[in-house]
């Protein structure tokens, strides 16, 4: 006799079940929050190799990169949160006007309720679980939606998360567009989405029907300004390491370089050397170099290779989803590679006369998720920070700002809205409630 399969829970049933749990109040205690975070930490440390294998299957990530950029990254976020959570949750007093003599005021961080976290495929573990850390720390029930484009990681999370966390307060919903659409039809108390702007608009429109607040972690073309008279060997090494991590499939990866023609020519040569130092003469044989997520993205990226003169790279293997780390020079501002976020291992160099033209070039385009600069000049630093708008500014080292837990990570304009990491995650998934206590006695 074959046992009957348990009925599959609908999105509406999942949300209702989690909301029932939230209304009991059990997710609000500090003990529950810290217990869930410790359980999540144990999941990552005890099943790290299993998760690393899934990340390799989905994106060709090496074990070293899987731990550094996904597993250990999330563990550090948990540790930082556990260390500070009790302090972050303490009521904050507020001064009271004299006319309300005797009254006391303070604010408290209130959990929002049931929140939805939708993750992308490029860092399918980190970008799912790091927001979940904030949602749990804030005392919410959570629906986690992993990316269907990273199926091995999605399956691993769906299998492990319910085993380790409070399954009446945390649920994983797998699937593609139909399942995501069904989830978005439900009323959540916050929706946290990481991905592209086109889907971000769909998420925001769906959330608006319920007046649900959203956090949109998007992307865009993050520029790099390289000043004259910089150490180009150091610049090239740091730029190549940041750009070609995860085969360029990073939302804050340097997207294009702005510099003067003379510096650009020397930098192109330095980048070719830096790429070979990182990955050898043939990156396809290097264990630390990943692969493109699928053939659709692969075909889009290879279609951009004709946008300039190939300095290094340009080779590819469609069956293996391999695209070599590629640097393009002599790229026109309106070339195909400059019309959309690249999100792959192709780095174009654009010539500008100097800082003024670089700032104008950046400001004429959508606000990026990050802006990077290599310069020894305090004036250049100050002008880039003051005269441009971006989610973050990184001087001298790409990508590193997102590893600082006390810095907010998020975009502005087309690159997103809202932020998270550390205390900013708690604030994203909480409501700061005002409390005024006025005595009845005169």
């Amino acid at each position: 006799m074959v046992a009957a399969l348990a009925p599959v829970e609908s999105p509406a049933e999942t949300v209702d079940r989690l909301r029932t749990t939230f209304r009991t109040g059990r997710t609000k205690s500090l003990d529950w929050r810290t217990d869930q975070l410790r359980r999540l930490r144990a999941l990552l440390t005890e099943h790290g190799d299993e998760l690393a294998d899934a990340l390799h299957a989905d994106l060709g990530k090496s074990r070293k990169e899987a731990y550094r950029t996904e597993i250990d990254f999330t563990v550090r976020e948990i540790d930082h949160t556990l260390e500070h959570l009790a302090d972050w949750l303490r009521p904050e007093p507020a001064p009271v006007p004299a006319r309300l003599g005797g009254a006391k005021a303070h604010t408290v961080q209130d959990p929002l309720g049931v929140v939805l976290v939708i993750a992308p495929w490029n860092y399918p573990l980190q970008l799912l679980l790091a927001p979940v850390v904030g949602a749990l720390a804030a005392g919410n029930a959570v629906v986690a939606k992993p990316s269907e484009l990273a199926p091995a990681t999605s399956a691993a999370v769906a299998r492990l998360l319910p085993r380790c966390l409070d399954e009446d307060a945390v649920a994983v919903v797998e699937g593609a567009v139909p399942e995501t659409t069904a989830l978005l039809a439900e009323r959540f108390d916050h929706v946290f989405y990481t991905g592209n702007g086109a889907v971000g608009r769909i998420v925001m429109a769906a959330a608006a029907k319920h007046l649900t607040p959203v956090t949109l972690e998007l992307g865009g073309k993050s520029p790099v300004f390289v000043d004259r008279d910089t150490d180009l060997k150091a610049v090239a090494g740091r730029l190549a390491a940041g750009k070609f991590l995860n085969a360029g499939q990073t939302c804050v990866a340097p997207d294009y370089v702005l510099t003067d023609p003379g510096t650009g020519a020397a930098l192109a040569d330095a980048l070719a050397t830096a790429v070979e130092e990182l990955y050898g003469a043939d990156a396809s044989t290097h264990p630390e170099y990943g692969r493109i997520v699928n053939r659709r993205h692969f075909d889009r990226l290879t279609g951009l290779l004709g946008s300039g003169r190939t300095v290094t790279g340009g080779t590819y293997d469609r069956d293996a989803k391999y695209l070599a780390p590629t640097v393009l020079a002599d790229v026109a501002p309106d070339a195909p590679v400059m019309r959309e976020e690249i999100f792959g291992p192709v780095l174009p160099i654009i010539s500008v006369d100097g800082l003024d033209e670089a700032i104008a070039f950046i400001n004429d385009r959508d606000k990026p998720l990050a802006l990077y600069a290599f310069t020894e000049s305090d004036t250049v630093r100050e002008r880039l920070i003051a005269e441009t708008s971006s989610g973050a500014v990184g001087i001298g080292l790409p990508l590193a700002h997102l590893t600082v837990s006390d810095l907010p990570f998020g975009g502005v304009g087309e690159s997103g809205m809202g932020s998270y990491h550390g205390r900013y995650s708690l604030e994203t998934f909480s409501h700061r409630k005002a409390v005024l206590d006025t005595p009845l006695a005169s």
Side-chain angles (χ1 to χ4, degrees):
M1 182 175 180
V2 179
L5 294 175
V8 177
E9 195 174 50
S10 71
E13 290 169 335
T14 299
V15 175
D16 285 346
R17 178 169 59 82
L18 268 57
R19 196 174 301 283
T20 297
T21 301
F22 178 77
R23 286 174 175 165
T24 68
R26 87 172 185 235
T27 68
K28 296 182 180 181
S29 74
L30 179 60
D31 286 346
W32 184 89
R33 303 181 199 201
T34 55
D35 178 62
Q36 295 304 298
L37 293 176
R38 291 190 179 104
R39 288 170 179 264
L40 184 56
R41 189 187 196 281
L43 181 159
L44 292 165
T45 55
E46 293 170 10
H47 298 276
D49 287 352
E50 183 178 347
L51 294 166
D53 288 343
L55 291 164
H56 180 77
D58 288 330
L59 288 150
K61 290 192 182 189
S62 69
R63 183 148 301 198
K64 178 180 176 182
E65 184 177 327
Y67 271 93
R68 179 164 61 97
T69 66
E70 306 234 28
I71 299 165
D72 290 346
F73 183 101
T74 310
V75 168
R76 287 194 300 272
E77 182 72 8
I78 293 170
D79 289 344
H80 181 79
T81 302
L82 284 170
E83 180 181 357
H84 298 285
L85 183 57
D87 287 336
W88 292 341
L89 290 173
R90 286 194 176 95
E92 294 188 13
V96 176
R99 66 179 179 274
L100 294 175
K104 295 180 180 180
H106 65 274
T107 61
V108 294
Q109 297 276 29
D110 244 6
L112 295 174
V114 181
V115 303
L116 171 63
V117 176
I118 305 174
W121 52 262
N122 59 323
Y123 290 86
L125 188 73
Q126 180 218 130
L127 294 178
L128 179 71
L129 296 185
V132 167
V133 170
L136 294 174
N140 298 288
V142 187
V143 177
K145 169 61 182 68
S147 173
E148 73 279 8
L149 297 182
T153 306
S154 178
V157 169
R159 183 173 63 256
L160 295 171
L161 215 60
R163 293 184 194 171
C164 299
L165 301 185
D166 182 345
E167 61 181 337
D168 291 324
V170 181
V172 179
V173 175
E174 289 192 281
V177 173
E179 290 78 11
T180 305
T181 302
L183 277 174
L184 288 171
E186 299 302 314
R187 180 178 69 82
F188 288 92
D189 298 288
H190 194 94
V191 176
F192 189 107
Y193 168 78
T194 304
N196 63 64
V199 178
R201 286 170 168 81
I202 295 170
V203 170
M204 193 169 183
K209 294 177 182 178
H210 301 288
L211 293 181
T212 299
V214 299
T215 299
L216 300 179
E217 296 292 342
L218 307 178
K221 296 183 73 64
S222 295
V224 182
F225 176 71
V226 179
D227 205 1
R228 296 180 176 91
D229 302 322
T230 55
D231 180 347
L232 293 184
K233 180 179 179 182
V235 170
R238 295 184 182 187
L239 191 51
K243 173 64 180 181
F244 300 117
L245 178 73
N246 197 28
Q249 298 165 118
T250 304
C251 59
V252 288
D255 191 272
Y256 62 94
V257 176
L258 297 172
T259 192
D260 66 273
T263 302
L267 177 62
D269 293 338
L271 282 166
T273 300
V275 169
E276 185 165 351
E277 289 176 352
L278 274 174
Y279 301 115
D282 180 3
S284 70
T285 65
H286 198 283
E288 294 301 319
Y289 188 69
R291 296 297 184 265
I292 306 306
V293 65
N294 57 38
R295 287 191 174 88
R296 180 170 67 86
H297 285 282
F298 178 90
D299 291 342
R300 178 185 62 82
L301 288 165
T302 54
L304 303 177
L305 295 177
S307 295
R309 175 176 59 84
T310 301
V311 174
T312 188
T315 57
Y316 53 86
D317 180 340
R318 190 172 188 269
D319 289 338
K321 294 178 289 187
Y322 164 77
L323 175 56
T326 299
V327 177
L328 300 178
D330 305 329
V331 177
D334 61 350
V337 76
M338 292 301 296
R339 295 174 192 166
E340 61 180 4
E341 182 180 6
I342 297 169
F343 220 72
V346 181
L347 181 65
I349 300 174
I350 312 294
S351 292
V352 291
D353 287 339
L355 180 62
D356 288 343
E357 189 175 335
I359 289 174
F361 191 99
I362 294 165
N363 288 339
D364 283 344
R365 287 154 178 81
D366 291 335
K367 296 177 180 180
L369 186 54
L371 183 154
Y372 302 115
F374 293 92
T375 181
E376 299 294 336
S377 167
D378 289 340
T379 300
V380 171
R381 289 186 180 92
E382 291 165 4
R383 286 194 61 193
L384 284 169
I385 293 169
E387 297 178 29
T388 64
S389 179
S390 59
V393 176
I395 308 292
L397 185 62
L399 277 62
H401 63 283
L402 62 87
T403 68
V404 181
S405 292
D406 287 318
L407 284 177
F409 178 72
V412 59
E414 286 286 323
S415 58
M417 62 178 68
S419 62
Y420 73 120
H421 287 176
R423 181 164 191 160
Y424 300 98
S425 292
L426 179 73
E427 293 178 355
T428 288
F429 290 108
S430 302
H431 166 64
R432 186 173 287 278
K433 183 163 64 179
V435 179
L436 179 67
D437 186 349
T438 307
L440 290 174
S442 59

